[in-house]
Amino acid sequence: MRAFLSVLADAGDLVSIPDAVNLDYDLAACLAEADSGPALRFVDVKGSGTSTLPIVGNLLNSLPRFALAMGSTTRDMQAALIAAIEKPLPHRLVSSAPSQERIISTPSLLDELPIPRFFEKEGGPYITAGAIVAKDRASGQTNLSIARLMPLGGNRAFVGIAPNHHLAILARAAHARGETLDIAVCIGNHPAVLIAACLYLGLGDDELPIAGALLGEPLEVISCTQSDLLVPAHSECVLEGKLDAGEPFVEGPVSEFHGMYETYGAGIVATFSRLTRRHDATFQVILPGYHPEHCLLGGVAIAAGLRRVVRNAVPSVYEVAVGVGGAGRLHAVVALSTPRPGEARKAMFAIWAAVNLIKQVIIVDDDIDPWNPIEVERACATRSQPDRDHVVIPGVRADRSEPLEQGGTITKLGIDATRRAGDREDWDLARPPAAALARARDILSRHKLI
């Protein structure tokens, strides 16, 4: 994370806040007001605990930041992410690491870490940028994922994971054997680790080598001090503990990616026996709810996975977007290159089959940037006819975080906004000649207007 922060600082995209900021709501309010602006570093954080660690947030709140993190461009980063999934790099195991410079046994979470309280209806503060490493002792299956953690006092925390989450599946399998599941919550990582943790892969697929491929070199890892779990060696903080699927806890209202509160009922509890960290650690937060970083962390990862799936059914797929407008989970836009008749609808059903959360799918041509909501809306306005091109499918399975699900289902909508040969003879856009546009860019750039 420090390397990425240095890059942001050099670009003027990291601002340090010297003012005193309260952990309860003030920090969240600052991040929310600076939603799409620079990353923020808070150096004077006030709270109930004894921690004096600085906090950073809003690191990945735009597509250019994701591209920067992957050493790519916004146009090429989806291909780079797919390449990393398909050609992961094995870890490099090290014997010592910055993440273990300090070791604290039986940590009191609220005393040792500056954990913010974000929204007023939630039951407490949350750790929101924790990449969780887990491994099933019996099968050897590993998992890297992100989940929220709400401290419950002392060294215990509620872990917010859906029943179909791979981490929940591993925890239930351990409980069925009369065991708990070893976990490590890694806070303060290079964005490559967070992006890898958000991928939708198969149960047991290890996401950490994908982070290495995104970095362009093997990810350095180290064994935990109390288990054989391998964690990123350059994390700022690591909580080592166990997840107990037999110890339920009712969370209460919690913010979701769509911006409203949900009440999911009982979840499970983790107990942490050790905190290891850098001696001068910085605590990372992701502003939850309907905010760009939270939405895009899911959306960028989901979109790459969907492109891999859809290309098996529809080879003409060019790019898939799951943007902030649909909360990074609910709406997908698929760009196809010269689609054949019927391919748009085939792509819709491939998307719905792959990810339950996706409710609306818009299909566009490859001259439309699927991440640009204005271009997508223009395609819908000028290339689709509702009676012909809208597909409404009622009673489809939905995830519990779908804001309008009833009885576990939702109606889904597909829109074919691709050009049809019989609709118009001329699809050309009215624009000045290319040479004139080039001269205009040169003139305007000399006057610092573009």
Side-chain angles (χ1 to χ4, degrees), residues 313-337:
V314 183
S316 62
V317 64
Y318 177 71
E319 188 168 7
V320 177
V322 181
V324 175
R329 313 291 192 282
L330 302 176
H331 289 182
V333 182
V334 182
L336 301 181
S337 298

Side-chain angles (χ1 to χ4, degrees), residues 84-130:
I85 296 171
E86 296 178 344
K87 292 184 178 180
L89 284 178
H91 314 312
R92 179 186 296 125
L93 183 63
V94 296
S95 58
S96 62
S99 61
Q100 294 181 356
E101 289 172 341
R102 285 196 60 190
I103 298 176
I104 301 164
S105 296
T106 317
S108 173
L109 302 182
L110 290 174
D111 286 333
E112 298 293 345
L113 299 173
I115 306 174
R117 186 162 184 162
F118 294 97
F119 306 123
E120 55 189 337
K121 289 186 179 180
E122 292 180 331
Y126 280 94
I127 296 171
T128 55

